[in-house]
Amino acid sequence: AQTVTQSQPEMSVQEAETVTLSCTYDTSESDYYLFWYKQPPSRQMILVIRQEAYKQQNATENRFSVNFQKAAKSFSLKISDSQLGDAAMYFCAYRSAKSSGDKLTFGTGTRLAVRP
Amino acid sequence: GAVVSQHPSRVICKSGTSVKIECRSLDFQATTMFWYRQFPKQSLMLMATSNEGSKATYEQGVEKDKFLINHASLTLSTLTVASAHPEDSSFYICCAMGSTAITTDTQYFGPGTRLTVL
């Protein structure tokens, strides 16, 4: 079974600074997807960024980028120019690329605080 | 973009009553829906996966007679908590995945339902 580990329960960053959230995963599969989701106080899950394992290029979405290290099974999220609205719970998630493996496996989450 | 709604957003009920939560995909057809449960300050735990017209597949440890899932149409799935007890109090989140070129391979979450059983 796949597992996702987020070793940082809480992180804090100064507004306008950069922060990196860590995520490692364990799988025996070679084809899969990785995601970062944001859950603000409203509890609505919001997709931040996704990465296909077969792509070597790291995904980027505006101020959000990932460092995907397939051999190390590491998938960190970098938030640049942090904003107060970035404060939320961040979950790393794994999904198999098999047709029968649509479910997401989530990490335990990292709570990010942004200091003004 | 694809929108998923959940109703109700909050429900408070007495122990022993049954509670139904609806999950709707508003602008796409959801061939697969997932139901998650989230305890305070914890991660999301998958309860079951349902495909339209088929019986739901439950994760290990989830009582199928307790958590009844129906996915009768491509836009509606329901989760019924039968004879709810205080330990069933939690935040329930549905997630829908479609079959179109735009919605396939992407999962869209509903806003969640907070259930409190007194």
Side-chain angles (χ1 to χ4, degrees):
Chain A
Q2 293 80 21
T3 58
V4 178
T5 301
Q6 292 179 252
S7 58
Q8 306 156 316
E10 295 182 350
M11 291 285 284
S12 180
V13 63
Q14 189 75 36
E15 193 176 6
E17 296 294 309
T18 296
V19 65
T20 299
L21 308 184
S22 302
C23 173
T24 58
Y25 57 95
D26 188 25
T27 184
S28 59
E29 299 178 335
S30 59
D31 199 11
Y32 48 87
Y33 304 95
L34 295 166
F35 305 85
W36 278 98
Y37 281 90
K38 170 184 177 181
Q39 188 179 41
S42 67
R43 306 291 292 272
Q44 171 75 60
M45 294 288 284
I46 301 166
L47 177 64
V48 175
I49 200 165
R50 82 178 238 167
Q51 173 83 40
E52 288 86 352
Y54 66 85
K55 289 186 178 179
Q56 291 187 338
Q57 187 172 8
N58 289 324
T60 61
E61 285 289 341
N62 301 313
R63 298 183 295 108
F64 299 88
S65 62
V66 298
N67 183 1
F68 173 47
Q69 301 290 329
K70 191 172 184 179
K73 296 179 182 175
S74 171
F75 183 61
S76 62
L77 174 69
K78 185 171 82 171
I79 306 175
S80 304
D81 186 24
S82 297
Q83 300 175 359
L84 295 178
D86 294 334
M89 196 75 171
Y90 286 82
F91 292 99
C92 178
Y94 171 101
R95 197 182 99 207
S96 171
K98 293 180 183 177
S99 60
S100 59
D102 292 327
K103 67 180 185 181
L104 290 166
T105 300
F106 287 92
T108 51
T110 296
R111 183 169 300 281
L112 177 66
V114 180
R115 305 186 302 274
Chain B
V3 179
V4 176
S5 69
Q6 268 184 254
H7 179 79
S9 57
R10 288 175 177 266
V11 57
I12 301 173
C13 68
K14 292 182 179 180
S15 184
T17 60
S18 293
V19 176
K20 179 184 282 188
I21 302 170
E22 292 187 348
C23 176
R24 293 182 184 274
S25 56
L26 299 184
D27 50 5
F28 69 101
Q29 293 185 328
T31 51
T32 305
M33 285 196 176
F34 307 87
W35 286 95
Y36 290 88
R37 183 175 181 177
Q38 186 179 30
F39 289 107
K41 298 185 179 181
Q42 293 190 22
S43 188
L44 282 74
M45 299 299 294
L46 180 66
M47 300 175 64
T49 303
S50 72
N51 293 296
E52 185 265 338
S54 303
K55 287 185 178 180
T57 301
Y58 290 81
E59 294 298 300
Q60 191 172 9
V62 178
E63 300 175 58
K64 57 182 67 177
D65 294 332
K66 175 77 168 175
F67 300 99
L68 306 169
I69 292 172
N70 183 282
H71 190 172
S73 78
L74 286 172
T75 59
L76 174 65
S77 176
T78 59
L79 166 66
T80 300
V81 183
S83 185
H85 290 284
E87 58 266 28
D88 298 324
S89 298
S90 189
F91 193 67
Y92 293 88
I93 307 174
C94 74
C95 175
M97 191 166 75
S99 58
T100 67
I102 296 174
T103 58
T104 193
D105 212 33
T106 300
Q107 294 171 341
Y108 300 92
F109 285 86
T113 296
R114 180 179 300 283
L115 170 63
T116 303
V117 185
L118 303 176

